Amino acid sequence: MNIHEYQAREIFQAHGLPVPDSEVVDTPEGAADAARSLGGRVVIKAQVHAGGRGKAGGVKLAADPEEARDAAGLILGMEIKGLTVRKVLVAPTADIATEAYVGIVMDRVSQRPVMMVSPEGGVDIEEVAETNPEAIFKETIDPRYGLLNHQATRLAYRLFSDPSLARPAAGVLLGLWRAYRSADATLAEVNPLISTSSGEVLAIDAKMNIDDSALFRHPALEAMRDEDAEAPSERRAREAGLSYIKLEGSVGCCVNGAGLAMATMDLVKYYGGDPANFLDIGGSSNPEKVVCALEIMAGDPNVLSILFNIFGGITRCDDVANGIVEATSRLELRVPLTIRLTGTNEDEAVGILGVAGFEADTDMDRAVQRAVRAAGVQ
Ligand code: GDP
Ligand code: MN
């Protein structure tokens, strides 16, 4: 789960990071008031779940409350990467001398959190990784011991040679690790971590992703969920108990079980297609889930073909078949549907689908090829 900058700032502040005070408002007038109480010169920042707000015009400096009102007026309602800005953060303008990047991500290769820092902050870290990889420094964190003092110190000196800056920077790195760890985050990032001309180190941006699978033990974090900031299809899927991730391709895939879903996506690729989503209806046979899955895929304008691939075990093929019949009677499908099912109650399922005018295949290769062809890819 993604949270907003202002929420990540609160968490970072609670773990001792030097985050300047700020206010969150949803009107231009509110921004003017906030600027007044923060001392006049402020930065106005769009609160959306997207990076690169600066480049998109979602971060503006204002010299006084009137300018803050105007800047907020321009940013509120703006679209950034398809997301509408409904709130802005107002913070006192920082006097930037240098901008560094610091972040922790879960690294799949080492299966551990990795802390990364770069003195070339402010810009996209992906860009630095591509054009100037030797400017990124890393320490792998052993989860048994956490980020060790010497690791934090080593990284901090990669950012600042002056001990009066490196020492507080090491404190920032240790605090960032504590925030990451205690929130069960998958990402925690400050970009930029700045030094000011008066010699302070400040965290002036904050980003955090929380592991969805750990949210059950963090009700306070779960309460930070902003449903407005989620894609409507992802929200529907979550509420229906489906695992759904939207992708860019044209073949909608509805599968039971994450392993089969991955194998199906691989096979779609193998036969020249591109999956439009990962969608796992799980091990239950609830026809409502099938209805919801079909509606979500049918609602994606990129989807040109839909494939059901069901391996009946605990999930009964006849229940899925009933779900498909129910869903297609409720909504007009504008794209071809290919169905493959095998396993528990397969014969009943073929019968149910046949009565409703659908053909079901039991062969996975054949079904995937047909679905890819139906999307017009080959
Ligand atoms: P992002 O583009 O979404 O990552 O938003 P950031 O909060 O990182 O802001 C983008 C850029 O705006 C930063 O890298 C800074 O260069 C600039 N910026 C943000 N806040 C301030 C500020 O208080 N003072 C100054 N001078 N620049 C700022
Ligand atoms: Mn940033």
Side-chain angles (χ1 to χ4, degrees), residues 275-345:
N277 59 267
F278 171 97
L279 200 168
D280 174 12
I281 58 168
S284 96
S285 302
N286 179 357
E288 268 312 306
K289 281 194 175 182
V290 178
V291 174
C292 178
L294 248 184
E295 282 175 359
I296 288 171
M297 289 187 291
D300 177 350
N302 291 341
V303 169
L304 301 176
S305 156
I306 292 176
L307 167 68
F308 269 81
N309 186 14
I310 302 301
F311 186 79
I314 298 168
T315 304
R316 287 168 34 189
C317 291
D318 56 330
D319 280 332
V320 176
N322 278 325
I324 294 173
V325 172
E326 164 89 34
T328 48
S329 72
R330 274 202 238 161
L331 98 165
E332 191 81 41
L333 266 195
R334 53 173 181 84
V335 298
L337 183 62
T338 309
I339 304 163
R340 182 262 181 165
L341 19 83
T342 189
T344 310
N345 294 1

Side-chain angles (χ1 to χ4, degrees), residues 5 43 45 50-55 59 61 92-94 96 99 122 191-192 204-205:
E5 174 190 358
V43 56
K45 305 176 72 178
R53 294 163 303 165
K55 276 190 204 152
V59 177
L61 299 176
T93 308
I96 300 179
E99 299 190 62
N191 187 25
I204 66 163
D205 192 10

Side-chain angles (χ1 to χ4, degrees), residues 71-150:
L74 290 173
I75 295 174
L76 286 164
M78 175 189 266
E79 288 238 330
I80 299 177
K81 297 184 182 162
L83 300 164
T84 307
V85 181
R86 299 182 199 283
K87 289 183 192 138
V88 292
L89 179 122
V90 185
T93 308
D95 177 13
I96 300 179
T98 64
E99 299 190 62
Y101 169 94
V102 307
I104 308 173
V105 288
M106 185 56 83
D107 175 43
R108 285 161 195 269
V109 175
S110 59
Q111 303 183 350
R112 288 177 180 200
V114 170
M115 178 165 269
M116 289 189 291
V117 308
S118 174
E120 303 201 4
V123 289
D124 282 349
I125 195 65
E126 290 84 0
E127 209 174 297
V128 180
E130 242 170 60
T131 57
N132 194 12
E134 48 305 342
I136 298 178
F137 303 93
K138 297 181 185 175
E139 291 280 343
T140 300
I141 300 172
D142 185 325
R144 288 170 298 182
Y145 311 123
L147 181 73
L148 299 168
N149 284 332
H150 70 84

Side-chain angles (χ1 to χ4, degrees), residues 78-290:
M78 175 189 266
E79 288 238 330
I80 299 177
K81 297 184 182 162
L83 300 164
T84 307
V85 181
R86 299 182 199 283
K87 289 183 192 138
V88 292
L89 179 122
V90 185
T93 308
D95 177 13
I96 300 179
T98 64
E99 299 190 62
Y101 169 94
V102 307
I104 308 173
V105 288
M106 185 56 83
D107 175 43
R108 285 161 195 269
V109 175
S110 59
Q111 303 183 350
R112 288 177 180 200
V114 170
M115 178 165 269
M116 289 189 291
V117 308
S118 174
E120 303 201 4
V123 289
D124 282 349
I125 195 65
E126 290 84 0
E127 209 174 297
V128 180
E130 242 170 60
T131 57
N132 194 12
E134 48 305 342
I136 298 178
F137 303 93
K138 297 181 185 175
E139 291 280 343
T140 300
I141 300 172
D142 185 325
R144 288 170 298 182
Y145 311 123
L147 181 73
L148 299 168
N149 284 332
H150 70 84
Q151 293 182 296
T153 305
R154 189 154 55 218
L155 288 176
Y157 275 97
R158 296 292 193 179
L159 300 179
F160 302 107
S161 52
D162 180 346
S164 73
L165 297 173
R167 267 192 222 110
V172 167
L173 300 182
L174 291 165
L176 190 65
W177 162 251
R178 287 193 302 273
Y180 175 97
R181 177 71 202 221
S182 62
D184 282 316
T186 53
L187 177 145
E189 195 178 271
V190 176
N191 187 25
L193 177 73
I194 62 160
S195 65
T196 65
S197 39
S198 58
E200 274 183 298
V201 171
L202 296 176
I204 66 163
D205 192 10
K207 186 170 159 62
M208 236 182 168
N209 285 342
I210 315 291
D211 187 342
D212 287 320
S213 309
L215 279 174
F216 73 94
R217 57 185 187 190
H218 299 289
L221 295 175
E222 173 70 56
M224 289 185 174
R225 188 187 292 283
D226 178 357
E227 301 207 323
D228 278 346
E230 260 181 317
S233 57
E234 291 187 355
R235 185 191 329 167
R236 275 214 63 198
R238 180 170 50 74
E239 285 165 359
L242 306 169
S243 311
Y244 170 80
I245 294 163
K246 186 178 155 26
L247 302 167
E248 300 308 314
S250 59
V251 182
C253 304
C254 179
V255 184
N256 66 317
L260 185 60
M262 300 299 280
T264 306
M265 290 162 66
D266 280 349
L267 212 55
V268 166
K269 280 270 189 193
Y270 179 77
Y271 285 118
D274 232 334
N277 59 267
F278 171 97
L279 200 168
D280 174 12
I281 58 168
S284 96
S285 302
N286 179 357
E288 268 312 306
K289 281 194 175 182
V290 178

